[in-house]
Structures are given as C-alpha cells and as structure tokens.
Amino acid sequence: MCANVIVAEDDEKQAELVRRYLEREGHAVTVVTDGLAALDEVRHGEPDLLVLDVMMPRADGLDVVRVLRAEHRELAVLMLTARTTEDDLLLGLDLGADDYMTKPYSPRELMARVRTLLRRTNRPGRATPSADAVDEVLSVGGLRVDSARHEISVDGMSVECTPGEFRILAAMAAEPGRVFSRQRLLEELHGFDRYISDRTVDVHIMNLRKKIEPAPRKPSRLLTVFGVGYKLTDPARGASRA
C-alpha cells in the first residue's frame, strides 16, 4: 500500500528528484513550493508524510511545523535543511519534526528515512500489527500509553505528543524502572544517524516533562539518572519508598 506524501520544496530540481524517487517506491506525491501551500495541502488532504524544506517563501518550514503541531495534526514530518548548526537542527525537533536530513543528501538515504518514518508512525507502509500489539495499553502509575490508538493520558487527562515523544514514552513504559541510555533512546527515535547528538533526546525529555509532570523542574515520573540516562517510574511507589 502506498503512502500519501507532500513534498514542500522551492528548488524545482530538488523537488522533482524527490518526487521521482518517492513515486518509484509507489507513493502518491504532491509537490508544493512554499510554506502556506504546504499548510493548505495538509489541511485539505490526508497526507501520511510531509517532506519539508526549512528555507521556503511565504512561511518557512519551522513555522509550518509549529502550526501543524498546534493544530494537533499527527502526520510524520521529515525536514530538509541546509542549516548545519546543532541548535538549528534541534529547534526543528523541538517544534515537532520527526526527523531531519541536512543538504546535500543522498536520495537513497532519504528513501530509507521515509520508509523508517512510515513504519514507526504506523502509516500505510507499515505491516499489520499483531493482535497482542493492537490491544496493548501500557500503564505506569497514572500514565497510560495506548499504542493502538496512539494516545497518551496522565491521571485520566489526554496529552498531545509528537510521534517522537510517543516513541520514547512507549519504549520506556514497556520497561518501567529501567534506565535507558541516550543512545538507546536515539535508536528508538531515528536509528543510527551521524548528525544526531545526545541533545536530541534531552530536548524530547524536556518537552515530555512539560506535558506529563505536575512540576517539570522537579520531575517525579521521568527521572534523570546522572551519567547514564533516563527512566520512567511510578511516582506513588517512589514516594512510598522515600
């Protein structure tokens, strides 16, 4: 089954190259050349993936991601950027992008990233999950992670998370109390990538604490294990032990 992909790229040659590679793999592709057109296509269609250039006219890629996540749209977003500083790259992830590639990039690597994103965000390219996986709801204290519905709640209240944040919580909720290294969490997010640093995980953890912790600066669920990584715990059990 093919995916519905929007390519937002103002460089005509780059857009045509990406379109040809995506269509070769069986995907339906719509190309737009500015940020506002990308927003319109997402709002009026049902895309599975947005391949989004950062530097575009009318609205840049960062503004597009900011608006889409504010509207709670859950499509996967792969950003393409000529910016190479770590802060610029992390900003895109902080706003809700799922992955990024720096220019120039290999079209074959881009297609590998697309396959990975569609698989990890439960889009059409993904194999049908088993019955056990469909029914799985993970609970850690008042935190519930419903993998089938891609929903998270804390003490009965729904929490909006990006696909990347969801993958981190789902992995940690499956093994509460286990300490996850940053490298392990990076593998959950993106697999091996020479451009991604440990700070990527720190950004996601910081954002998750704002969403699931009563006091993000004094976390009781998502804890730091200094020099090692992070772990997810039940606050009630931690309080009883204390």
Side-chain angles (χ1 to χ4, degrees):
M1 182 183 294
C2 71
N4 183 5
V5 183
I6 296 174
V7 176
E9 168 66 78
D10 64 330
D11 184 314
E12 292 184 6
K13 290 183 179 180
Q14 286 289 321
E16 177 63 15
L17 179 65
V18 174
R19 182 189 65 78
R20 283 193 282 114
Y21 270 83
L22 286 167
E23 290 182 344
R24 188 179 300 172
E25 296 207 354
H27 303 304
V29 183
T30 301
V31 175
V32 296
T33 57
D34 66 74
L36 294 185
L39 287 172
D40 286 341
E41 284 293 334
V42 171
R43 288 165 175 160
H44 294 101
E46 296 183 354
D48 304 298
L49 171 67
L50 173 61
V51 179
L52 178 66
D53 186 27
V54 171
M55 301 297 292
M56 286 190 301
R58 301 181 72 195
D60 69 22
L62 296 175
D63 287 334
V64 171
V65 173
R66 185 183 290 109
V67 171
L68 292 178
R69 295 317 187 201
E71 294 177 353
H72 309 303
R73 299 184 187 276
E74 295 186 355
L75 78 163
V77 177
L78 171 59
M79 300 196 77
L80 307 177
T81 176
R83 300 174 178 176
T84 57
T85 66
E86 187 176 58
D87 287 343
D88 286 332
L89 300 175
L90 291 175
L91 177 58
L93 294 174
D94 190 19
L95 292 174
D98 299 287
D99 198 359
Y100 61 80
M101 293 189 67
T102 55
K103 296 180 178 181
Y105 54 82
S106 159
R108 292 179 63 186
E109 183 181 358
L110 176 64
M111 293 305 103
R113 299 288 191 91
V114 167
R115 288 191 293 270
T116 298
L117 274 179
L118 292 173
R119 183 171 64 250
R120 290 179 176 174
T121 54
N122 201 24
R123 297 298 177 177
R126 184 173 183 170
T128 303
S130 66
D132 290 341
V134 169
D135 293 336
E136 185 177 26
V137 178
L138 303 170
S139 297
V140 183
L143 174 71
R144 289 172 56 86
V145 180
D146 188 330
S147 297
R149 294 177 176 81
H150 208 272
E151 294 176 350
I152 291 174
S153 63
V154 178
D155 298 329
M157 301 294 292
S158 179
V159 175
E160 295 289 343
C161 288
T162 68
E165 292 165 357
F166 185 92
R167 288 196 294 274
I168 286 179
L169 273 186
M172 300 181 80
E175 299 182 77
R178 173 187 170 179
V179 179
F180 286 76
S181 68
R182 288 177 175 84
Q183 183 59 41
R184 178 69 183 86
L185 292 175
L186 280 173
E187 292 171 3
E188 288 293 332
L189 284 167
H190 303 287
F192 175 77
D193 189 310
R194 63 186 180 277
Y195 297 113
I196 298 178
S197 75
D198 290 353
R199 285 189 58 199
T200 304
V201 170
D202 296 337
V203 170
H204 284 300
I205 294 293
M206 178 181 67
N207 290 336
L208 281 169
R209 282 174 173 164
K210 293 176 183 177
K211 297 175 180 182
I212 70 171
E213 297 281 6
R217 293 188 178 182
K218 296 181 179 179
S220 57
R221 285 190 170 93
L222 195 46
L223 307 181
T224 300
V225 180
F226 291 100
V228 184
Y230 300 98
K231 66 179 179 179
L232 185 67
T233 65
D234 181 344
R237 291 185 179 180
S240 65
R241 286 196 299 270

